[in-house]
Amino acid sequence: MDDLDRLESESVFILREAYQAFSRLGMLWSLGKDSNVMVWLAKKAFFGHVPFPLVHVDTGNKFPEMYAFRDRYAVEWGIELIVGDCPPLEEMDQDLPPATRRAQRKTRGLKDLIEREGFDGICAGIRRDEEGTRAKERVFSPRSVDAAWDVRDQPPELWGQYNTDFPPGTHVRVHPILHWSELDIWRYIAREGIPVVDLYFAKNGMRYRSLGDQDITHPVASEAATIEAIIAELEQTHVAERSGRAMDHEAEDSFERLRTEGYM
């Protein structure tokens, strides 16, 4: 068993624990590399069939390539897809910086969808190495009735022991790939042959390293036009994965404010 086998095994265990623990479980599908790996792991965990719906919280502002990817693989993978929309920008907190305000639409859209669909558990494909605030997360992360996250009040998860016993009415975020790195993700994509949106591959010296809304996500300089070249690039780079996200260059606490409110 190698490192990827161990990561896969732990994620499969988490997904099965979540499916057993929650009466209404869903999985966020952002269409990016991490959530595609998470869907792939779910197919492995349940013998080729994902037994709960995938959820796309749609801002209406994704890249056309992402919508084409969603429409194709929702059919090819035989998944139940729920698409939720987001409230208009004018209804967001006007005190937030512009890009963060746009990202807040996704948080509000997710809250509305959770309430409408009655999810008591939602799987999200975040990783600890993406950003400092996400490094503080738990695998099974309880939220308040309004989906807020209290970073100072989280259950311990020691030695791979997860708490899945929460009071009735608790909504829980489940993070099956929290322990993976960006490099792990690409090595696993290469090993398993997992499809991804081709915006990740360099064209004219630029590529997207992280995908979001097209008006607040920018490409980074890169010559990596294949999965193998991306892996080689990541083994050398010191540039942050989210360097192309406009929100991460605004106020220092922008991301943490959104995550406290319920952002993924």
Side-chain angles (χ1 to χ4, degrees), residues 128-169:
R128 286 197 174 102
D129 75 325
E130 282 180 280
E131 198 276 337
T133 303
R134 285 177 171 167
K136 303 171 186 173
E137 268 288 6
R138 298 291 189 267
V139 173
F140 288 84
S141 177
R143 304 301 170 109
S144 68
V145 291
D146 60 353
W149 177 52
D150 186 351
V151 65
R152 295 161 298 186
D153 183 19
Q154 302 186 84
E157 291 183 335
L158 305 176
W159 303 291
Q161 302 297 308
Y162 304 120
N163 176 23
T164 60
D165 185 16
F166 298 98

Side-chain angles (χ1 to χ4, degrees), residues 16 41-51:
R16 290 174 176 165
L41 290 164
K43 286 163 65 68
K44 283 203 169 189
F46 302 103
F47 309 103
H49 171 66
V50 182

Side-chain angles (χ1 to χ4, degrees), residues 3-4 7 34 37 127 129 177-191 194 231 234:
D3 288 347
L4 289 180
L7 289 167
D34 302 309
V37 165
R127 308 187 326 270
D129 75 325
I177 60 170
L178 195 62
H179 52 302
W180 294 54
S181 70
E182 184 185 13
L183 189 54
D184 295 328
I185 290 292
W186 281 108
R187 286 175 172 160
Y188 191 69
I189 287 170
R191 187 182 87 169
I194 301 172
I231 291 171
L234 294 179

Side-chain angles (χ1 to χ4, degrees), residues 19 28 63 75 82 95 102 132 154 156 161 194 210 212 229 250:
Y19 185 57
L28 295 178
F63 294 91
V75 175
I82 297 174
D95 291 333
R102 293 181 181 280
Q154 302 186 84
Q161 302 297 308
I194 301 172
S210 177
E250 294 185 325

Side-chain angles (χ1 to χ4, degrees), residues 89-105:
L89 187 62
E90 293 73 21
E91 295 181 10
M92 299 300 102
D93 183 351
Q94 300 301 306
D95 291 333
L96 289 171
T100 307
R101 198 183 315 146
R102 293 181 181 280
Q104 190 184 40
R105 293 181 61 228

Side-chain angles (χ1 to χ4, degrees), residues 106-122:
K106 195 171 176 181
T107 306
R108 300 284 175 84
L110 175 59
K111 286 183 178 180
D112 292 344
L113 191 146
I114 288 172
E115 182 175 358
R116 186 187 76 205
E117 297 291 335
F119 289 118
D120 54 352
I122 279 282

